[in-house]
């Protein structure tokens, strides 16, 4: 539900027991005339029949979960008696969840699943609801602790321990916790003596050690189960943390175990270990000793909580939009329900005009209704394509260079939410944006396609090759901007044709392309972003690069392949690092490099990697064309 500042919802008679969870803003609430203040990340529980008034102090967003709890029949007399004396489903209380992000994620998931529930979906919603109840009861069960103020570090730790198998970045964590990455990093280091990402790496390695010791999974299976798609990269991380490779670690443990355990069954405890109530994390393990904050909970006796735990009740969830007129709150000044994930103002306006369209793409077919307006894009070249046809996404993966966007698009991307990077999109953050369309790429995100399409209709391009025009055409059709896309492409092709006509004999210049990074030196061939444009302009290429391929990784003995009439090179370097710059210096001081004709002619030119390589889209292509026009002095 949503309320604008100053809007009032009056006299809503709650039809069942209910939880309200504020996700944004604040409000004054009156429960049967008793005033209570509700802030962001507050949970309020009310019983059936209560009269609820809400006055929004600022824009208010909240979830309402209506549920019915009954005793199964037949029930023991003492349970019926206990239920009559201490009915927990009629009590009023409010508190701040210990892990508010976890509550938000589960409610988002429940809401999306409930839109068109099948019997299995209803069961899934019920399961998620039980998880919420468990977290609530666990918090209330702690003696001497009524309210525990949310803590950024403990929330981050809790999130990582629940989602270590998924892509997690510092920026995504900070966005979810509504703080800056610098603030989260500082707090985390002060309290945990490490960074969030270092903590995540160690957490994943510890999980991997358990799998290595107690299972026979392959290295690939283990690496994927702890959040690393690349088993080679996982092995490097593991060795850096533990000093040995995963294989050596397993072999070493097996030898030690066999030496001390002559019987296979002695590997396991004789009796089961106790329930791990708290995280094994040293900081998190002591939160229950903190006695901070004022209790807002309605005080009666602790028996009511016991009642909730011991009664095997049946939950019949009811949506706010069902069950008669009493189930839908109304507002005196136009309260509007929170739009469903596929709804938006512009989509609703075009619903009749735009018939459903079936889009064929790399993962099959997807039906898209109307013109999407809340779009999440998962590639850099896709971001540029949307901007080119006048579409601003609600969420996008961060640029490979920039904080978080390339300089040439940052003005157009203000207020766009960062949803991770191309290799690690943040699924929870994407879901929270309630997109009506997700656009990705099979090369980058094939493994999470099934998860993405559960959030919103999802379309994938097949490849990330140099000819970005193929994907551009798909993107413009998907967002129902085919005409705009064709006009933009016609304008670009016209520029290319004009420049090609004016180049004349300059097109015979053999253009060499190279990239330096801390780990590799490459030459770039014709099927690269810059290579495709050079080909369209008719430029000659050195023999080693005049191939319909992508790249060749260089060794110093093959430096001669970098020669040409002009050498454009770019450097891949993280901000604040100098490793790649050192590689450039080392190679350019090599006698073989100094002997190149292009070096002797002083035609070695450093260019911007974002424009020449990594951005890979419409805007970058125009900027690259500008730079070629300037360098070759095209009038």
């Amino acid at each position: 539900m949503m309320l604008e500042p100053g809007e009032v919802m009056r006299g809503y008679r709650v039809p069942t027991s209910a939880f309200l969870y504020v996700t944004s803003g604040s409000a004054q609430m009156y429960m049967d005339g008793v005033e209570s203040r509700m802030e962001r990340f507050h949970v309020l529980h009310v019983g059936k029949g209560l009269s609820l008034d809400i006055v929004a102090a600022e824009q208010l967003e909240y979830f309402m979960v209506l549920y019915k709890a009954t005793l199964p029949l037949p029930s023991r007399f003492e349970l019926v008696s206990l239920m009559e004396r201490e009915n927990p489903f009629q009590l009023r209380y409010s508190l701040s969840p210990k892990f508010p992000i976890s509550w938000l994620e589960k409610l988002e998931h429940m809401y999306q699943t409930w839109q068109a529930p099948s019997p299995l979906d209803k069961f899934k919603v019920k399961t998620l609801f039980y998880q919420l109840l468990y977290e609530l009861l666990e918090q209330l069960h702690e003696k001497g602790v009524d309210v525990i103020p949310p803590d950024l570090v403990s929330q981050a730790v809790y999130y990582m321990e629940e989602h270590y198998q998924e892509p997690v970045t510092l920026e995504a964590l900070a966005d979810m916790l509504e703080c800056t990455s610098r603030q989260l990093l500082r707090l985390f280091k002060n309290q945990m003596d490490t960074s969030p990402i270092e903590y995540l790496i160690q957490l994943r390695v510890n999980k991997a050690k358990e799998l290595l010791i107690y299972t026979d999974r392959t290295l690939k299976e283990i690496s994927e189960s702890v959040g690393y798609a690349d088993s080679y990269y996982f092995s490097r991380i593991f060795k850096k943390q533990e000093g040995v490779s995963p294989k050596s670690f397993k072999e070493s443990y097996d030898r030690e175990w066999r030496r001390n355990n002559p019987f296979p069954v002695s590997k396991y405890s004789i009796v089961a270990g106790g329930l791990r109530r708290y995280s094994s994390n040293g900081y998190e393990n002591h939160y229950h000793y903190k006695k901070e904050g004022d209790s807002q909970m309605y005080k009666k006796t602790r028996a009511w909580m016991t009642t909730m735990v011991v009664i095997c009740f049946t939950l019949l969830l009811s949506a706010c939009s069902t069950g008669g007129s009493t189930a839908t709150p109304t507002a005196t000044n136009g309260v509007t329900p929170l739009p469903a994930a596929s709804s938006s103002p512009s989509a609703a306006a075009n619903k009749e005009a735009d018939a459903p369209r079936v889009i064929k793409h790399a993962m099959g077919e997807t039906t898209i209704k109307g013109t999407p307006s809340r779009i999440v894009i998962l590639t850099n070249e896709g971001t540029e394509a949307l901007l080119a046809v006048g579409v601003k996404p609600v969420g996008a993966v961060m640029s490979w260079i920039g904080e978080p966007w390339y300089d040439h698009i940052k003005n157009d991307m203000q207020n766009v939410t960062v949803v991770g990077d191309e290799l690690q999109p943040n699924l929870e953050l994407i879901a929270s944006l309630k997109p009506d369309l997700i656009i990705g790429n099979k090369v980058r995100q094939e493994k999470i396609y099934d998860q993405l399409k559960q959030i919103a209709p999802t379309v994938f391009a097949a490849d990330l090759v140099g000819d970005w025009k193929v994907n551009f055409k798909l993107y413009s059709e998907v967002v129902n901007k085919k005409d705009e896309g064709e006009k933009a492409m016609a304008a670009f092709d016209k520029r290319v044709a004009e420049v090609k006509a004016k180049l004349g004999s300059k097109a015979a210049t053999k253009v060499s392309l190279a990239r330096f990074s801390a780990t590799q030196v490459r030459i770039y061939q014709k099927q690269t972003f810059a290579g495709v444009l050079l080909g369209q302009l008719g430029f000659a290429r050195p023999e080693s690069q005049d191939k319909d391929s992508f790249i060749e990784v260089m060794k110093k003995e093959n430096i001669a392949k970098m020669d040409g009439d002009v050498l454009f090179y770019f450097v891949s370097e993280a901000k604040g690092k100098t490793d790649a710059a050192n590689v450039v210096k080392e190679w350019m001081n090599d006698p073989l490099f100094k002997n190149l004709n292009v070096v002797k002619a002083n035609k070695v030119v450093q260019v911007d990697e974002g424009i020449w390589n990594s951005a890979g889209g419409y805007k970058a292509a125009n900027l690259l064309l500008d730079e070629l026009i300037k360098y070759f002095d095209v009038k």
Side-chain angles (χ1 to χ4, degrees), residues 358-567:
V358 177
I359 303 296
K360 294 182 179 181
H361 58 100
M363 305 301 291
E365 294 184 351
T366 297
T367 300
I368 299 175
K369 298 178 180 178
T371 300
S373 63
R374 296 188 60 82
I375 302 169
V376 170
I377 182 72
L378 302 182
T379 61
N380 281 258
E381 48 103 27
T383 298
E384 297 204 359
L386 296 188
L387 295 175
V389 297
V391 174
K392 184 176 182 178
V394 296
V397 290
M398 66 189 300
S399 300
W400 294 114
I401 303 169
E403 295 182 350
W405 313 116
Y406 293 112
D407 286 342
H408 64 275
I409 65 170
K410 64 183 181 182
N411 291 335
D412 298 322
M413 295 292 283
Q414 292 182 17
N415 301 320
V416 175
T417 300
V418 179
V419 294
D421 60 37
E422 286 190 12
L423 300 176
Q424 292 188 321
N426 187 306
L427 295 174
E428 291 77 13
L429 195 54
I430 292 171
S432 73
L433 295 174
K434 300 181 179 63
D436 48 22
L437 175 66
I438 301 170
I439 302 175
N441 192 284
K442 185 176 180 180
V443 172
R444 291 285 196 244
Q445 298 108 18
E446 181 177 11
K447 289 185 177 180
I448 60 172
Y449 173 76
D450 289 339
Q451 295 164 280
L452 289 169
K453 71 179 184 180
Q454 291 176 16
I455 298 172
T458 301
V459 172
F460 272 14
D463 209 344
L464 276 172
V465 293
D467 192 359
W468 52 273
K469 292 183 178 181
V470 175
N471 291 352
F472 183 92
K473 181 180 179 182
L474 173 65
Y475 299 151
S476 59
E477 290 178 355
V478 171
V479 299
N480 215 7
K481 297 285 185 178
K482 183 177 179 181
D483 291 344
E484 291 86 341
E486 289 177 349
K487 289 178 182 178
M489 194 56 65
F492 177 76
D493 289 341
K494 181 180 178 182
R495 287 194 70 203
V496 172
E498 290 173 350
V499 173
K500 182 177 181 181
K502 294 176 181 179
L503 276 170
S505 61
K506 293 178 181 178
T509 305
K510 291 184 178 180
V511 179
S512 179
L513 294 175
R515 169 183 178 261
F516 292 87
S517 72
T519 57
Q520 282 185 347
V521 177
R522 303 172 173 179
I523 53 174
Y524 277 57
Q525 296 162 337
K526 293 168 72 174
Q527 286 304 314
T528 55
F529 178 65
V532 167
L533 182 56
L534 290 172
Q536 291 172 337
L537 292 169
F539 277 108
R541 302 294 303 279
E543 183 179 354
S544 63
Q545 299 170 42
D546 193 21
K547 300 176 181 179
D548 286 320
S549 299
F550 185 56
I551 63 163
E552 180 181 346
V553 179
M554 299 293 294
K555 296 182 180 179
K556 284 188 177 179
E557 53 265 34
N558 296 326
I559 279 179
K561 292 183 177 181
M562 301 173 75
D563 210 353
D565 296 323
V566 59
L567 169 61

Side-chain angles (χ1 to χ4, degrees), residues 292-312:
E292 300 175 1
D294 299 324
S295 171
Q296 296 179 353
M297 201 169 60
Y298 175 80
K299 294 289 187 180
K300 200 171 183 183
T301 71
R302 296 190 66 83
W304 72 269
M305 191 170 67
T306 305
T307 309
M308 288 188 72
V309 177
V310 300
I311 292 175
C312 298

Side-chain angles (χ1 to χ4, degrees), residues 49-61:
L50 177 136
S51 178
L52 185 65
D53 300 312
I54 301 177
V55 181
E58 52 189 311
Q59 187 174 44
L60 181 73
E61 294 185 14

Side-chain angles (χ1 to χ4, degrees), residues 198-215:
E198 288 168 346
Y199 177 89
L200 176 64
I201 290 172
Q202 190 59 59
L203 174 65
R204 287 171 167 173
V205 168
N206 289 341
K207 298 291 184 181
K209 286 161 66 177
E210 293 178 10
L211 294 173
L212 287 165
I213 292 170
Y214 297 117
T215 73

Side-chain angles (χ1 to χ4, degrees), residues 310-330:
V310 300
I311 292 175
C312 298
F313 56 83
T314 302
L315 297 177
L316 302 175
L317 291 164
S318 57
C320 291
S321 59
T322 62
S325 60
T326 58
T328 304
T330 57

